[in-house]
Every structure is written in C-alpha cells, then in structure tokens.
Amino acid sequence: MKTILIVDDEIHICTLLTTILAKEGYEVDHSVSGAVAIKMVKEKIYDVIFCDYRLKDKEIDGSVLSLKIRELSPATGIVVMTGYPDVRIAIQLIKQGIYDYIVKPLSAAQVVLLVQKVLLHQAVISKEQLPPANPPATGPVSTYISHRGQLSRFVYGTGNTSKELHTQIKLIAPTDYSVVILGETGTGKESVAHLIHSQSKRKDKPLIAIDCGSLSRELACSELFGHEKGAFTGAVQAKTGAFQEAHGGTLFLDEIANLSYEVQTALLRTIQERVVRPVGSTKETHVDIRIIVASNEDLQQAVLAGRFRDDLYYRLNEFAINVPPLRERPDDLPLFISTFKQAVEDELERECGPLSDEVLAAFSSYSWPGNIRELKNVMRRICLLSKDREPITADLLPEELQPVSKESSESIATGEANLKNVTRQAEYQKILDVLQKVRFNKSQAARLMNIDRKTLYNKLHTLNILL
C-alpha cells in the first residue's frame, strides 16, 4: 500500500486530504508541525508528502522542510501547497527537487490525480511496474514538450483554465469522435492531440501528424492519400499516405484551414467512406482511423467566408476544444519556466544560473503572443547567452521583453527618440495587432497587410517575433 503524509498547520486541511486519499486506498498520516513531520519521515518511508509552504514552526517553512525531506528520503515525491503563489518561490522549490507547487484550495479530483502522477513518475524513474491508475475526470492539464525530437515529458498546469481543458480531454479521449482543436499559434494544440491519443483505446497504434500549412495541392494529396509510381513527374516510387500509415490509430491534421478546396473535397470523401485511393491508382483501401484536426483560424468564420467546406467542418466537428493562450494561464507560468529551463540545461549539458527578479517580472507582465512556444524559445536564448551558474539578467532578454528604461521613456515622451526605433516599434506593434486579430494565422495576416507570406516571415524574423 502506498503511503502519504500531509503536513499543514490547519487541521481541517489535514483531515480533508486524509479523507480524500484514504478513500482511494492509500495509507495516510498527517502532522500540523514541520518538526514532527521530520521525525515521522525518519521513522517511516512515505511515497508522497503534501506540505504547506507557510507553517507556523519558527524555523521550518515549506522550503526548509522539503530540503530536509529530500535529504532523509530522496525518492519521496514532495508537493508544496500554498495560498499565496509566487513565481520566484515556485522556481526555487522545483529547482530544489520538489515534484510540484500547487495553489489552494484543492479539489478532490486534483489531489487524487496529482498523487497518481507522482507515483507514475516514481515508477518510471525506478523502472518498476507502473502503479494502477484510474484518473478522475478532472485535474491539471498536461503540455507536451518535444525534447530533441522525442516525446519526453509532460508539464502539468494547475490553474482553473488548465483544469477545465483537462476535463474536456478526459471526456473525449476514450471515444472515437473526431475532434477540432482551436487555439492561437504556440498554445500546444499538437500537445492536446497527443494527450487525446495517449488516453484513447488507440494508444498502442500510431499517431501520424501532418502540417497542412506547408502543403501544396499536389503534395497534400500525395502526403494524405499516397501515390503510385509514375503518378506524376517526380514520383519515382510508390508512397504510402498518412491515412494508411495511421491505420488503427489517430491521424492529426494541423492547420487544416490551409488545405485547398479541392483537397478538402477529397478529404471529405475519404473521411465519410473510410477508404483511400492513392494518386494514380484505381484501387481503394479501407482505413480505420480517428481524425483530430487543429487550426489557429476560426473554422466557422472560414466556412462563412467560403474558404472551408461546411460539410467537411460539420463532419469533423463532433467535439471542439479551445486551447487557451498562455496569457490566460498565469498560474501555470512558474512551472513552465522551470521545466523549460531544465530542458534547455539538458540540451546544453550545463547548469544555468537563477533567473533574476527583473527577468521574472518581465515574464509575468509580458503578453506572450507566441504562447508556450515563444516562452520555450526565450528560455533557450537566455540560457544559451548566460554564463555558467551566474544569475540570468534582463539584458539577455529579446528586445520585446526588455524593460523600458526611464531615459528611453522620457526621450519618447519628448519626441527625441531615434526615428528608426520609433518606426520599428510601430511596425512591431502593427504586426502583433493584425496577428492577434486573425488568431495568429500568418497567411491571413499577410493578406490583410498586403504583403506576401515570405515578406511576413522575414519581418517576424527581423523583429524577433517568435510564433
């Protein structure tokens, strides 16, 4: 039986968590004192410990207690609870080795799911048999992180917005419904697709992902349906399409709104009939797949504008999920920062210093138009530029996150700013405004600004706008 210790100076919290976890079959102890908790850890091995950050012990707060527990029992999963979230404290604690930093009040489902995740993490680390888990319908959301091209880890957000998203994922995952995932660029739509697949009945079969935004009409048909040798110029050998590759599993079509109308027509028939005819072939092949699509453009608006087939939209939209932008998930920011920092340190194979208060303040006040992807890129930049173990300061931040100095503010206010900088800032703001208006659909943004897509990409690069 797995053992859990609750440490909180409010007895009703101890009683509540004990009741919740005991019903799940765990052996639960509790303490209202940090000093007593340390004695208990010396006498008994606990798999998971929940401890409050602000204990009434004079010399033992959650930080000190977690360090002592780590020394006494390195394998124990530590979860620090607080009613007063602070980005700096969260990063410090996670760096010290705690499993998670969560904000009170806690729901029963959140507590149970968190324990299951800690035990699962421990089982993976120790290569033991995974503990049985039957996750509840609600809990923190996972954000998929690709590390060196591999699916390496999940980061769990604990904010209310994240919990609502997770509830929807848990609800739809076991079904075979087609899913439309909507959200701005960089919010993690592919992450949601991976989570749905990993929690479905098809999880042991392949998930094939296709970026429709980069496909021409000819290439799209080949990539989706395959082609026969000699079907067109350059087809020197036969190719199996994504539909057949995903047989038995899930097909994820990202940026589906970018497919041409002709390809949409072929796609509709394939989805309706569940048969594929490769380009240049007269033979049809049955496929058994689940379809998940994603778009950073409102597909209903695309239907009204005549750019997307209404019958295809209604065929795909058996269930819709909206992935919130990072600016609407401030509670999750500390954990994302810490996890990305650790991932970058692994990539660079060196330890970076702590983020300064000025950097953390800039992160907290920034709107993150590029969302989670932009945050990861910024973490890569500042860690790469930093010196080993020295504090990471604001001068390493990209221009859009740089704090505005008093001198710069005064020069702009008095009309003394450099004309080039003023023009650059105006262009930067205009592009961001248009991108936000079209939900970061770059093709649509380029059309509205009367420039081609290549020019827009060049400007995004020049202005260091990460999407």
Side-chain angles (χ1 to χ4, degrees):
M1 181 181 292
K2 298 297 183 179
T3 55
I4 301 173
L5 174 62
I6 312 297
V7 186
D8 198 302
D9 51 28
E10 296 184 44
I11 187 61
H12 73 277
I13 297 292
C14 293
T15 303
L16 175 63
L17 295 183
T18 298
T19 302
I20 291 171
L21 294 170
K23 286 182 179 179
E24 297 296 319
Y26 299 113
E27 180 183 329
V28 189
D29 298 329
H30 71 264
S31 171
V32 295
S33 164
V36 173
I38 291 173
K39 293 180 180 178
M40 295 173 71
V41 173
K42 289 180 179 178
E43 297 172 357
K44 182 176 180 179
I45 296 175
Y46 291 97
D47 297 291
V48 185
I49 295 180
F50 286 81
C51 72
D52 187 30
Y53 181 75
R54 295 191 175 186
L55 295 170
K56 292 180 181 178
D57 299 61
K58 292 182 179 180
E59 298 180 357
I60 301 181
D61 62 7
S63 179
V64 174
L65 180 58
S66 62
L67 280 175
K68 290 184 177 295
I69 293 172
R70 290 278 295 168
E71 293 174 1
L72 294 169
S73 181
T76 297
I78 304 169
V79 177
V80 174
M81 307 177 291
T82 182
Y84 308 91
D86 185 293
V87 172
R88 290 166 296 183
I89 292 174
I91 292 176
Q92 173 195 338
L93 290 172
I94 291 172
K95 195 67 176 178
Q96 288 176 190
I98 72 164
Y99 181 82
D100 209 345
Y101 175 85
I102 57 177
V103 181
K104 297 178 183 178
L106 310 176
S107 68
Q110 181 183 356
V111 172
V112 174
L113 182 62
L114 188 53
V115 170
Q116 291 172 344
K117 288 188 299 182
V118 175
L119 296 177
L120 181 63
H121 176 74
Q122 291 171 338
V124 171
I125 294 300
S126 62
K127 297 183 180 179
E128 296 174 350
Q129 183 178 1
L130 299 183
N134 186 20
T138 60
V141 70
S142 309
T143 296
Y144 159 77
I145 299 175
S146 178
H147 182 52
R148 295 177 183 172
Q150 302 292 325
L151 179 62
S152 60
R153 68 182 78 176
F154 290 90
V155 187
Y156 297 91
T158 56
N160 290 331
T161 304
S162 296
K163 288 189 283 186
E164 174 59 29
L165 178 57
H166 185 80
T167 299
Q168 294 183 37
I169 292 172
K170 286 290 182 182
L171 177 67
I172 194 61
T175 75
D176 251 349
Y177 291 173
S178 296
V179 182
V180 174
I181 305 172
L182 300 172
E184 296 176 6
T185 295
T187 51
K189 297 186 290 296
E190 185 172 352
S191 308
V192 173
H194 276 268
L195 283 167
I196 293 172
H197 176 73
S198 69
Q199 298 172 33
S200 73
K201 294 175 289 186
R202 299 173 179 268
K203 62 185 178 182
D204 295 326
K205 298 295 183 178
L207 182 148
I208 304 298
I210 297 291
D211 179 9
C212 301
S214 60
L215 301 179
S216 64
R217 177 184 177 279
E218 294 77 12
L219 186 59
C221 289
S222 173
E223 287 294 321
L224 293 173
F225 313 123
H227 66 251
E228 294 295 316
K229 180 180 179 180
F232 50 84
T233 302
V236 295
Q237 60 184 14
K239 174 182 173 60
T240 301
F243 271 88
Q244 288 177 274
E245 290 180 348
H247 181 69
T250 303
L251 177 61
F252 173 58
L253 302 177
D254 197 8
E255 302 303 343
I256 191 172
N258 288 297
L259 290 177
S260 69
Y261 207 81
E262 293 80 6
V263 175
Q264 291 176 34
T265 302
L267 182 61
L268 174 63
R269 180 183 179 278
T270 300
I271 293 174
Q272 286 177 329
E273 305 297 331
R274 287 298 195 266
V275 293
V276 172
R277 181 186 296 173
V279 178
S281 174
T282 58
K283 182 181 178 181
E284 293 185 336
T285 303
H286 171 74
V287 288
D288 171 27
I289 59 170
R290 181 185 195 170
I291 301 287
I292 301 177
V293 304
S295 176
N296 58 20
E297 180 180 1
D298 188 330
L299 290 181
Q300 286 184 312
Q301 292 299 318
V303 169
L304 293 175
R307 297 191 307 275
F308 200 80
R309 291 186 61 118
D310 56 352
D311 46 4
L312 176 59
Y313 171 71
Y314 293 119
R315 171 68 63 175
L316 294 171
N317 191 31
E318 293 181 322
F319 192 87
I321 292 178
N322 283 281
V323 184
L326 182 56
R327 61 181 174 276
E328 294 179 7
R329 304 168 65 182
D331 292 343
D332 298 332
L333 187 59
L335 190 53
F336 289 152
I337 293 171
S338 176
T339 305
F340 287 141
K341 184 172 183 289
Q342 182 62 61
V344 175
E345 288 177 333
D346 291 345
E347 291 174 353
L348 299 178
E349 297 182 348
R350 66 180 177 88
E351 185 175 349
C352 302
L355 274 61
S356 69
D357 291 347
E358 197 173 17
V359 169
L360 293 174
F363 278 8
S364 297
S365 60
Y366 186 54
S367 62
W368 296 107
N371 293 293
I372 293 172
R373 184 183 300 146
E374 181 181 12
L375 172 60
K376 186 173 184 180
N377 288 340
V378 170
M379 291 303 301
R380 277 180 167 151
R381 169 195 169 95
I382 61 178
C383 288
L384 180 63
L385 295 176
S386 68
K387 297 180 180 179
D388 288 0
R389 302 189 181 184
E390 290 188 11
I392 297 175
T393 54
D395 60 297
L396 302 181
L397 292 172
E399 183 177 342
E400 61 271 20
L401 271 84
Q402 287 281 353
V404 179
S405 67
K406 182 179 179 181
E407 293 77 10
S408 297
S409 299
E410 290 175 351
S411 65
I412 292 173
T414 58
E416 297 174 1
N418 180 284
L419 181 60
K420 183 178 179 180
N421 289 340
V422 172
T423 303
R424 177 185 171 91
Q425 180 60 33
E427 186 175 38
Y428 176 87
Q429 192 58 52
K430 177 63 177 177
I431 291 175
L432 277 187
D433 290 344
V434 173
L435 284 169
Q436 290 174 344
K437 181 179 179 181
V438 299
R439 296 175 64 86
F440 293 86
N441 183 294
K442 291 183 282 295
S443 296
Q444 192 173 355
R447 286 195 296 269
L448 286 177
M449 290 185 286
N450 199 29
I451 58 177
D452 58 39
R453 191 180 174 95
K454 182 178 180 180
T455 300
L456 176 58
Y457 274 110
N458 289 338
K459 288 186 176 294
L460 293 176
H461 176 74
T462 301
L463 296 171
N464 200 23
I465 299 175
L466 304 174
L467 299 179

